[in-house]
Amino acid sequence: MAYFPESTIITTKDGLHCQVYASDHPDDVIIVKPKYIPTDKIHSDSLPYRYIGGKRVNRLNMWIGTKALKKYIDDFKKAYPDYFYKGQYGDDWFFAVPRKKIEKIYDPRHGLEELMKMPLKTLDPHLKKTVELVRFLAKSGVLHKDMGITYSTLVGHYFLGTSDINVVVYGKKNFEKVMKFLEKARHPSLRWKTDNEWVAYHKKRGRDLQLRKDEFLFHSQRKRWEGFWDKNLFLVFGVEKRGETWLDWDGERREKIGFFKGRGVVSSDASSGVRPGLYELKNGVVIGMKNDFHLSQVVFYSRNFASHAKKGELIEAQGVLELVTPKKGKKFYRIVVGYFESFLSDRRKKEYIKTIR
């Protein structure tokens, strides 16, 4: 396995802009999600267009209609066949950048370090607000060296007054420290979303409400990694430090059992703020299966489910059931939500994680 921190931005020799999608990777590729894709080889009017670096690009949105998305992904596979990593049972594929295809790496920590050196009077309103937010978050006790900036703020193609401010916090304990700080923090520039804003934002992104409206709002309103800073949306992403990653790409064998629902009590939520995220369970069961299907984990690839549940809570999840055989230890079962393949069918409307109240 190889460490390469999640939320890093990569541009490739083929002109793709990609966001690193995990912190542990196979040896020869980096697991990513393409963010901006040139339109010279493929394009889709179903996807938003952007003009970046003198080129017209599509912004990949996995929540567009399944028919249009499937066609675009099929076209992408033909145009960029090297940009895929195939899983162990066929349909658990990932977007991936071959290391030899990397053109430039935008490091969120280095980007923030450079930004903090800038005289405040020279910054535009977006960057000033970013610096103000980072200084505020540092009151949690997390040092600047353990934070970074990402997405358009890092790369420099943000829209004034429109683009989000995305802050990265390195280290699971540091992320938890920032979340606890934000639970009690007060500041004139800090505001949390109302119920109507949560629903409107979700719909604006074209996402289906996988939970009932009341369930969606319950989980959303207690999260503190997404809010407003002086009218700008901000998000705080937890990223594992080296040695903290829990997923071992090369150290386990996975077997797909099918699509199932399971329940269990969260025994650890320590990896619930990172991606891929993990809820460890006790007394976990797969509903409709025999008792020997002891459910040990619920895993997610969508940040929709980050910090969704807390230790000691009973959760229910519906997704792909896997039998996992690690190099060391006993076999176990887990449910996985958010494989890229799920977006190409109605499975994306059926997968979820929720707390049972």
Side-chain angles (χ1 to χ4, degrees), residues 170-329:
Y170 293 89
K172 295 176 183 178
K173 291 184 178 179
N174 284 335
F175 179 73
E176 183 181 357
K177 190 181 293 186
V178 171
M179 292 302 100
K180 287 183 177 180
F181 168 74
L182 287 175
E183 285 178 2
K184 299 179 180 180
R186 299 290 185 272
H187 192 281
S189 295
L190 178 65
R191 182 175 72 82
W192 304 111
K193 289 181 181 177
T194 65
D195 288 355
N196 289 337
E197 285 172 330
W198 269 111
V199 174
Y201 177 73
H202 211 66
K203 288 182 178 179
K204 180 182 177 182
R205 294 294 177 100
R207 299 174 182 176
D208 299 299
L209 283 178
Q210 294 137 306
L211 306 177
R212 294 195 319 263
K213 183 177 178 180
D214 63 308
E215 293 173 331
F216 169 75
L217 290 173
F218 166 76
H219 290 92
S220 299
Q221 287 289 21
R222 65 180 187 165
K223 295 179 181 180
R224 287 297 177 260
W225 55 265
E226 184 170 348
F228 289 103
W229 183 259
D230 197 15
K231 299 181 181 179
N232 276 70
L233 182 72
F234 76 85
L235 299 97
V236 182
F237 301 142
V239 172
E240 294 152 312
K241 287 185 174 182
R242 191 183 298 274
E244 288 188 337
T245 58
W246 64 268
L247 180 63
D248 187 354
W249 291 93
D250 302 318
E252 63 181 30
R253 182 169 55 84
R254 293 173 287 122
E255 177 187 348
K256 182 180 179 180
I257 306 300
F259 190 76
F260 287 92
K261 181 187 298 184
R263 284 189 175 188
V265 176
V266 177
S267 59
S268 174
D269 61 357
S271 296
S272 67
V274 299
R275 179 164 54 192
L278 167 68
Y279 295 103
E280 297 182 62
L281 305 181
K282 62 181 179 181
N283 304 323
V285 296
V286 179
I287 297 172
M289 302 295 283
K290 295 180 181 179
N291 291 334
D292 58 347
F293 278 73
H294 177 70
L295 187 64
S296 298
Q297 296 180 349
V298 170
V299 172
F300 61 88
Y301 282 90
S302 170
R303 283 201 183 272
N304 287 355
F305 301 111
S307 305
H308 213 59
K310 299 179 181 180
K311 182 177 180 181
E313 294 182 340
L314 174 65
I315 64 170
E316 179 178 289
Q318 186 164 267
V320 175
L321 179 65
E322 297 179 343
L323 172 61
V324 182
T325 304
K327 280 186 178 179
K328 297 181 181 179

Side-chain angles (χ1 to χ4, degrees), residues 86-93 256 320 339-342 347:
K86 202 143 191 188
Q88 296 176 6
Y89 49 72
D91 64 358
D92 59 331
W93 56 268
K256 182 180 179 180
V320 175
Y339 277 134
F340 284 122
E341 180 67 22
S342 68
R347 202 172 93 198

